[in-house]
Amino acid sequence: MTPQIQSAADRLQDAIDTGRPCAPVRDLIGEHDIDAAYAVQEILAATRLDAGNKIVGRKIGLTSDSVRSQLGVSRPDFGSLFSDMSYATGEPVPLERLLQPRVEAEIAFVLKQDIDNPHASVTDVLRATDFVVAAIEIVDSRVDNWDIRIADTVADNASSGLYTLGCAPFSLNGLDLAQVGMVLEHEGEPVSVGSGAACMANPVVAVAWLAREVARRGTPLKAGEVVLSGALGPMVPVKAAGVYTARLDGLGEVQTVFTDDGGAR
């Protein structure tokens, strides 16, 4: 580990600890050094694990052309989901846990088998998936004003925050996730629309990409893990308390209820 990698981790950890966004870290590790960025991510993950958290899954970021365009990056990335990040549909989510939240609608995969194969295919993902549910990912950035490039977001756990899962599981049998339409509403008004095809052509393709990446890095997907497969449409900034509802064709709906009255857990 280089001093620059440790300095980048320290900068992001200070933002986490103080609740004050920091400057980008690409000046320390380089704008395009993906391996250095994942090394920073691993340091920050180790801190969370030492504090008693557990890794319960993974998230894929930057799978949508619209999101990559919003952030000025050109490739997907991944981060870890920790045991203190999950909320059920309709459960209050305290805004005080977040710095600069945005929301995006996704399809979450829950695995019943490990996928430990650096050459994993779509077939492997289909075979390993127990069920899918509608999800809202609450993305966040420790970098001030979301001034990020690929190295910044990778280092910052793929700009993860929290997530909300729907309660209705669906088998993949007979489902073509590319054809799933999505509408994300804020207080009943549509604020983002998209489809499964926006997520690397099909969310199953995105999960296969993730499976290969993490297996290659020695941390393969495990049975029981949740995988947030990526945005189906543009991200939406969250400015205040309120209700966001994602409706996914054939997969029901999921609701995130932001509150500003505390209740952090």
Side-chain angles (χ1 to χ4, degrees):
M1 178 179 62
T2 67
Q4 291 82 4
I5 288 172
Q6 185 62 59
S7 294
D10 291 343
R11 182 181 293 179
L12 289 166
Q13 188 63 55
D14 183 68
I16 294 168
D17 293 340
T18 64
R20 294 192 299 269
C22 64
V25 298
R26 57 184 179 270
D27 64 317
L28 297 170
I29 60 174
E31 185 170 337
H32 303 292
D33 192 339
I34 303 302
D35 286 337
Y38 278 116
V40 175
Q41 185 186 125
E42 289 172 6
I43 293 172
L44 296 173
T47 299
R48 294 183 76 154
L49 294 172
D50 289 344
N53 270 288
K54 297 181 179 179
I55 292 176
V56 298
R58 311 293 176 87
K59 64 149 288 182
I60 313 171
L62 309 177
T63 56
S64 163
D65 286 340
S66 60
V67 172
R68 287 195 294 269
S69 176
Q70 281 180 297
L71 298 182
V73 298
S74 60
R75 58 180 290 177
D77 66 352
F78 68 86
S80 294
L81 301 179
F82 292 89
S83 50
D84 65 344
M85 292 170 60
S86 174
Y87 287 82
T89 184
E91 185 179 2
V93 177
L95 281 171
E96 67 181 28
R97 293 198 62 192
L98 301 154
L99 297 182
Q100 305 173 100
R102 300 178 177 184
V103 291
E104 55 190 31
E106 306 195 7
I107 297 171
F109 290 62
V110 178
L111 303 180
K112 61 183 177 182
Q113 298 175 12
D114 298 353
I115 311 179
D116 189 359
N117 180 358
H119 306 288
S121 67
V122 164
T123 301
D124 294 321
V125 173
L126 294 173
R127 185 181 298 116
T129 300
D130 192 6
F131 57 87
V132 294
V133 295
I136 293 176
E137 184 182 0
I138 307 160
V139 292
D140 202 3
S141 181
R142 272 50 64 178
V143 176
D144 192 32
N145 200 34
W146 280 86
D147 177 16
I148 64 174
R149 298 294 184 268
I150 185 66
D152 301 300
T153 185
V154 168
D156 192 21
N157 198 30
S159 301
S160 65
L162 308 169
Y163 63 98
T164 302
L165 295 181
C167 293
F170 291 86
S171 167
L172 283 178
N173 291 338
L175 277 179
D176 181 359
L177 296 186
Q179 300 301 314
V180 172
M182 177 279 295
V183 177
L184 178 62
E185 299 175 351
H186 174 229
E187 302 293 348
E189 294 296 323
V191 290
S192 179
V193 296
S195 70
C199 179
M200 293 177 69
N202 191 308
V204 180
V205 173
V207 177
W209 172 87
L210 173 68
R212 293 191 294 270
E213 282 289 304
V214 295
R216 183 175 65 83
R217 293 176 179 273
T219 55
L221 297 176
K222 299 292 187 180
E225 288 189 334
V226 175
V227 176
L228 298 180
S229 59
L232 306 184
M235 297 186 298
V236 177
V238 177
K239 301 298 188 182
V243 179
Y244 290 82
T245 304
R247 308 182 194 281
L248 279 64
D249 294 344
L251 297 177
E253 67 179 50
V254 57
Q255 190 173 81
T256 299
V257 181
F258 290 104
T259 66
D260 56 11
D261 56 356
R265 57 186 186 184

